[in-house]
Amino acid sequence: MLLETIWFGLWGLLWAVFFMTDGFDFGAGTLMPFVAKTDDEKRMTINALGPLWDGNEVWLLTAGGVTFAAFPLVYATMFSSLYSALMLILFALILRGVSFEFRSQIEGPGWRRLWDTCIFIGSFLPALLFGVAFANIFQGLPLAADNVYKGTLLGLLNPYGLCGGLLFLALFLVHGALWLCIKTEGALQQRAIAAANKLWPVELAIAVIFLVFTKFATNLYDNYFATPAFFLVILLTVAGLVGIKVFLARQAFFKAWFSSALTIVGATFFGIIGLYPNMFPSSINPKYSLTAHNSASSPLTLKIMLTVVIIFVPIVLIYQIWAYNLFKDKVTAEDLTYEESY
Amino acid sequence: MDAVFLSRLQFAAATMFHFLFVPLTLGLSFIVAWMETQYVRTQDKTYLSMTRFWGKIFLINFALGVVTGITLEFQFGTNWSRYSAYVGDVFGSLLAIEATAAFFLESTLIGVWIFGWRKLSAKAHATVMWLIAFAGSLSAIWILTANAWMQHPVGYTIRNGRAELVDFLAIVTQKFAILQILHTLAGAYILAAFVVMGISAYHLLKKQHIEIFTRSFRIALVVGLVFSIFIAIEGDQHAVDIAEKQPTKLAAMEAHWETTRRAPIHLFAIPDEENERNAVEIGSIPGVLSFLSFHDVNAEVRGLKDFPKDERPPVTITFIAFRVMVALGAYFILITIVGWFKRNKLVESPLFLKIMLFSIPLPYIANEAGWVLAEVGRQPWIVYGLMKTSQAASPIDGSQVLVSLIAFILIYGLLGAAGLFLVVRHVRKGPAVVTAD
């Protein structure tokens, strides 16, 4: 039981880290057509993400792999049930991934416009759909006996699901705008600052609507009323949100970005804590719900995987932080002249 | 529409497309790392030009390998949910470890290598490529361990209505996995060597950038020669292991119907699966199959008729795939030996260079044929002897799979074309000669 609960927490943590890291490049990729006007500005935007997006995306693979290893039944049911939504996300990620590499290879405007479009779609769609998917999971999905899913792709686009999608989109857009504030200069940076300032109230409004909507659409708050200490997570999330605005006003972009990271991790855990022990709740009958306890792997597998995660995740964090630190400087016009730049 | 059939098509299309890029990544990373190290050691700018030129091909190829790999991990869930639920306790952990312990390193460092030319010392930058290369092969080792478990499941017990892990070490140290890892990695290194030799031959034929491409060719020649010979010796061991552990695959790859002693191989045959015989058999050599399978010409080799019809793999595909792989493997040894004698007069050997240029597709065909043999030859099982493919698919509507399959083919087709176009364009343009720092 304890092992399963620990794994539930780790499962949530991996998703949170994925959203925190890949979130800013989803956001920046979506913002690119709006803040980057010239080809040089677009290149600056892409080079601000270039060294890091790939490592960020592995958090998704790890979250997926860990779901498979620790909760095979959840992995099997969640991904086959949300088949079309997940395929859309994966195709979007494929297009986005190659676009970064392909775009810079040829200078023609038609070629670059093609990959710019792919970067936009490939960033926007996952940002929205991950939110839609998680909100639907919080809400419960039509899962019948024997883990057979009765829903449709369009059924996911219900009001609460869409609200979750917009929330994720807003979180990532602000996160991405702040990243560009840190990494760029000149007119591009000014537009990124303006975008962050304009998007922040939207983020705040959607977050408030989502928190209220959650009370009516889900049972997430039950866990909070049972253990009021968990309300601290919501407080931290709100503190992050406020921090963004405070630090943005002082032009302390690093701190604003960290506040945004805190907001994203907090928002993820807000849902995960409320969900526990459910991982894929059924809206048809609670007894069909998949939980951390009825879907977990054997204790031996959980122990082996725990050892692996305890050893390797800190190592991964160390070299990823090293890589972030290596590329902490602004992308300059001079950087764009180098052969290897995107 | 039948979700099982469509899911099989989709998985086959996705993995085969993925494996057009992976082997080059696996091999070329080591070759580029070697070139960069030579540059650091000797400060000879030719090596820097080589590193940059081959590095770019590596990166375009790597991008395609990564994005096509992401979908594979999720397809076990989307399309094969019954399989995932049944064996996830054993199989899932191997995929999770691959991401955590290997792929993370590769993906994080690839960005560092691309953008780190001015941020790191030359030595550190070269070290990064070595780490990428080792992480890449380590990634492959975990994935192949997972596949080997599907080929020959060990270290598990059936409990709580599913396969549960009992002995992790048995899975990661089993002979089948080790042989499969050696075979696949060697095949990948051969492919990379032939790509480097073929592209080098293109420029040598045009007598341009002779220094860069002579050196590149010779480095690749050593890799190609060593691993072509290695894979033949190792492949022999692999066949013996398959004879013991996957008798139906062995019988299918030789179109061997009757259980006999002194079992023959047929240089050429047309299997007639309906009537459980070969319609045509040419060049049958008695005893060879017995010898290859058990290292004894008199050993008894079980024929396909010994197994129920619903436990036999498709014979024709398996038989052809095996022959294509072996024939090409023999060719790789021959042509690299020829290359060894020509290594000091490459430019004066236009015919040989032309052969090497046109040989570029061959290791791709050999690698894919090897996978067809491994996977089609395992049928009708998804996990050999434990679970049938027909029981493994998700309870989803076939129309969903049809839509995603069409999307896969369209998107992969376009990306493959774009990738090929970029590589060909880069190759034609040739390397930039580096003179200043």
Side-chain angles (χ1 to χ4, degrees):
Chain A
M1 282 289 277
L2 176 65
L3 209 50
E4 290 159 0
T5 304
I6 291 172
W7 264 107
F8 181 86
L10 281 172
W11 176 76
L13 181 66
L14 287 169
W15 283 107
V17 176
F18 165 60
F19 294 139
M20 178 185 91
T21 54
D22 226 16
F24 74 77
D25 50 63
F26 287 146
T30 311
L31 279 175
M32 194 170 87
F34 307 103
V35 296
K37 302 290 179 194
T38 65
D39 186 55
D40 273 357
E41 287 174 356
K42 287 184 176 131
R43 289 186 61 201
M44 234 175 243
T45 308
I46 294 168
N47 280 287
L49 313 174
L52 302 167
W53 75 269
D54 197 356
N56 294 344
E57 212 157 286
V58 184
W59 289 102
L60 171 64
L61 279 181
T62 307
V66 154
T67 314
F68 198 172
F71 304 104
L73 198 56
V74 172
Y75 170 84
T77 310
M78 185 185 289
F79 294 147
S80 59
S81 302
L82 305 178
Y83 188 97
S84 297
L86 185 67
M87 284 294 169
L88 275 174
I89 290 178
L90 294 177
F91 286 130
L93 293 180
I94 289 176
L95 287 178
R96 196 177 87 109
V98 294
S99 299
F100 290 129
E101 184 64 42
F102 283 9
R103 184 190 186 277
S104 63
Q105 306 282 344
I106 294 178
E107 289 210 5
W111 176 266
R112 296 214 158 165
R113 208 172 307 129
L114 168 70
W115 300 113
D116 286 343
T117 312
C118 288
I119 290 174
F120 173 75
I121 296 171
S123 303
F124 167 79
L125 213 55
L128 185 76
L129 287 179
F130 273 118
V132 171
F134 271 86
N136 273 287
I137 290 168
F138 297 159
Q139 185 176 229
L141 287 142
L143 189 67
D146 297 322
N147 311 314
V148 174
Y149 180 69
K150 299 288 185 193
T152 60
L153 179 62
L154 285 179
L156 297 176
L157 302 177
N158 52 66
Y160 184 69
L162 284 172
C163 188
L166 290 177
L167 175 68
F168 270 49
L169 193 58
L171 288 171
F172 294 166
L173 282 173
V174 169
H175 206 40
L178 293 171
W179 183 258
L180 292 179
C181 294
I182 295 171
K183 288 285 292 180
T184 63
E185 51 187 21
L188 176 58
Q189 191 199 27
Q190 290 309 314
R191 280 189 223 112
I193 296 171
N197 275 314
K198 269 186 224 156
L199 285 165
W200 183 80
V202 180
E203 183 187 18
L204 181 70
I206 298 176
V208 170
I209 294 169
F210 188 80
L211 282 174
V212 176
F213 203 162
T214 299
K215 176 76 188 105
F216 298 98
T218 76
N219 302 322
L220 292 194
Y221 284 107
D222 292 357
N223 282 348
Y224 290 85
F225 288 114
T227 316
F230 284 137
F231 276 108
L232 274 175
V233 172
I234 300 179
L235 265 178
L236 271 176
T237 313
V238 174
L241 260 173
V242 174
I244 295 173
K245 186 66 189 172
V246 171
F247 292 121
L248 191 58
R250 295 186 196 161
Q251 308 249 325
F253 301 125
F254 258 117
K255 287 176 183 165
W257 185 84
F258 276 115
S259 303
S260 171
L262 178 69
T263 309
I264 291 175
V265 172
T268 312
F269 269 99
F270 160 69
I272 299 288
I273 290 170
L275 198 59
Y276 181 82
N278 283 319
M279 299 184 80
F280 202 78
S282 168
S283 57
I284 294 177
N285 187 333
K287 75 177 182 192
Y288 301 144
S289 294
L290 301 181
T291 71
H293 306 304
N294 70 15
S295 305
S297 280
S298 63
L300 178 62
T301 299
L302 293 180
K303 275 181 212 154
I304 290 173
M305 283 309 299
L306 193 60
T307 316
V308 170
V309 165
I310 286 173
I311 294 173
F312 281 99
V313 167
I315 295 176
V316 170
L317 286 173
I318 288 169
Y319 61 67
Q320 285 213 337
I321 289 168
W322 171 76
Y324 271 72
N325 189 48
L326 194 65
F327 298 107
K328 65 176 186 292
D329 299 335
K330 285 182 185 297
V331 179
T332 61
E334 196 202 340
D335 286 332
L336 295 183
T337 62
Y338 298 136
E339 185 197 332
E340 67 269 17
S341 295
Y342 280 155
Chain B
M1 289 294 263
D2 178 18
V4 178
F5 178 68
L6 290 169
S7 294
R8 285 183 67 185
L9 271 187
Q10 180 171 303
F11 205 88
T15 34
M16 290 179 81
F17 190 74
H18 179 56
F19 216 72
L20 289 175
F21 307 103
V22 172
L24 183 60
T25 300
L26 290 174
L28 198 50
S29 51
F30 278 110
I31 294 175
V32 170
W34 171 258
M35 291 169 174
E36 195 175 355
T37 301
Q38 289 302 97
Y39 165 64
V40 174
R41 266 198 208 145
T42 62
Q43 291 299 308
D44 179 342
K45 293 276 191 266
T46 307
Y47 281 116
L48 184 57
S49 297
M50 288 159 67
T51 307
R52 293 265 190 176
F53 176 78
W54 296 110
K56 191 161 203 171
I57 294 175
F58 168 75
L59 290 175
I60 294 171
N61 191 75
F62 183 84
L64 283 160
V66 169
V67 297
T68 53
I70 293 174
T71 63
L72 286 175
E73 190 201 56
F74 289 96
Q75 275 194 61
F76 289 108
T78 52
N79 293 70
W80 303 100
S81 68
R82 290 202 174 99
Y83 165 81
S84 302
Y86 192 64
V87 304
D89 193 73
V90 185
F91 185 86
S93 54
L94 299 170
L95 294 197
I97 294 172
E98 185 263 345
T100 321
F103 192 57
F104 249 130
L105 185 63
E106 195 182 3
S107 294
T108 306
L109 291 185
I110 201 86
V112 173
W113 194 79
I114 300 173
F115 291 93
W117 286 96
R118 282 163 194 80
K119 310 239 177 214
L120 294 170
S121 71
K123 218 180 209 173
H125 194 264
T127 311
V128 167
M129 186 46 94
W130 281 109
L131 287 171
I132 290 171
F134 280 109
S137 284
L138 190 60
S139 239
I141 286 172
W142 283 107
I143 297 297
L144 292 167
T145 305
N147 183 268
W149 188 82
M150 298 168 81
Q151 305 285 351
H152 184 243
V154 292
Y156 72 97
T157 183
I158 302 297
R159 197 162 49 205
N160 303 320
R162 63 177 179 182
E164 290 196 352
L165 184 70
V166 288
D167 188 351
F168 184 73
L169 270 187
I171 295 171
V172 296
T173 58
Q174 73 153 322
K175 193 175 172 192
F176 202 103
I178 293 166
L179 289 167
Q180 199 178 346
I181 288 163
L182 293 175
H183 201 74
T184 313
L185 286 181
Y189 302 153
I190 293 169
L191 182 142
F194 271 78
V195 169
V196 172
M197 285 190 282
I199 291 173
S200 299
Y202 170 81
H203 284 286
L204 291 175
L205 276 166
K206 296 197 153 192
K207 304 211 188 320
Q208 54 201 19
H209 308 291
I210 288 176
E211 187 57 33
I212 288 176
F213 288 109
T214 305
R215 281 193 209 174
S216 301
F217 194 105
R218 285 190 199 151
I219 294 169
L221 178 66
V222 175
V223 176
L225 178 62
V226 168
F227 284 103
S228 296
I229 294 170
F230 172 82
I231 207 169
I233 300 165
E234 186 277 340
D236 166 64
Q237 294 296 312
H238 204 18
V240 172
D241 205 44
I242 285 172
E244 181 194 327
K245 290 165 182 163
Q246 294 187 316
T248 49
K249 182 187 276 177
L250 181 89
M253 68 200 224
E254 293 292 359
H256 179 62
W257 295 97
E258 311 284 346
T259 299
T260 51
R261 296 188 173 281
R262 290 181 66 79
I265 59 158
H266 316 296
L267 293 181
F268 179 78
I270 300 176
D272 175 0
E273 300 187 37
E274 196 121 320
N275 299 310
E276 305 185 297
R277 64 189 179 88
N278 293 330
V280 181
E281 283 176 4
I282 297 171
S284 302
I285 313 169
V288 177
L289 178 55
S290 293
F291 183 76
L292 289 177
S293 313
F294 299 99
H295 287 175
D296 169 8
V297 286
N298 291 314
E300 182 180 272
V301 180
R302 293 175 73 189
L304 284 161
K305 282 185 174 177
D306 247 22
F307 303 93
K309 269 195 171 170
D310 63 354
E311 289 185 9
R312 297 178 200 164
V315 180
T316 311
I317 300 177
T318 313
F319 177 81
I320 293 172
F322 178 61
R323 262 152 192 70
V324 168
M325 183 184 74
V326 170
L328 288 172
Y331 168 77
F332 299 148
I333 297 177
L334 274 176
I335 200 73
T336 45
I337 289 175
V338 172
W340 184 254
F341 291 104
K342 302 240 179 222
R343 70 186 186 282
N344 291 324
K345 44 185 177 190
L346 288 169
V347 184
E348 299 96 81
S349 317
L351 177 64
F352 173 69
L353 290 176
K354 251 180 214 155
I355 292 173
M356 291 314 290
L357 173 59
F358 288 106
S359 293
I360 292 177
L362 300 181
Y364 285 91
I365 296 171
N367 270 275
E368 298 285 357
W371 274 113
V372 168
L373 167 62
E375 300 294 284
V376 176
R378 190 190 62 224
Q379 301 303 324
W381 306 99
I382 190 164
V383 183
Y384 194 82
L386 177 65
M387 185 184 209
K388 287 210 170 148
T389 311
S390 56
Q391 304 161 332
S394 303
I396 49 172
D397 191 52
S399 60
Q400 259 184 319
V401 187
L402 185 65
V403 172
S404 65
L405 174 62
I406 292 169
F408 263 108
I409 292 170
L410 284 177
I411 292 179
Y412 279 13
L414 287 172
L415 291 185
L420 185 67
F421 166 71
L422 286 175
V423 170
V424 169
R425 188 173 169 274
H426 172 69
V427 167
R428 286 230 168 110
K429 220 167 86 188
V433 179
V434 186
T435 45
D437 266 289

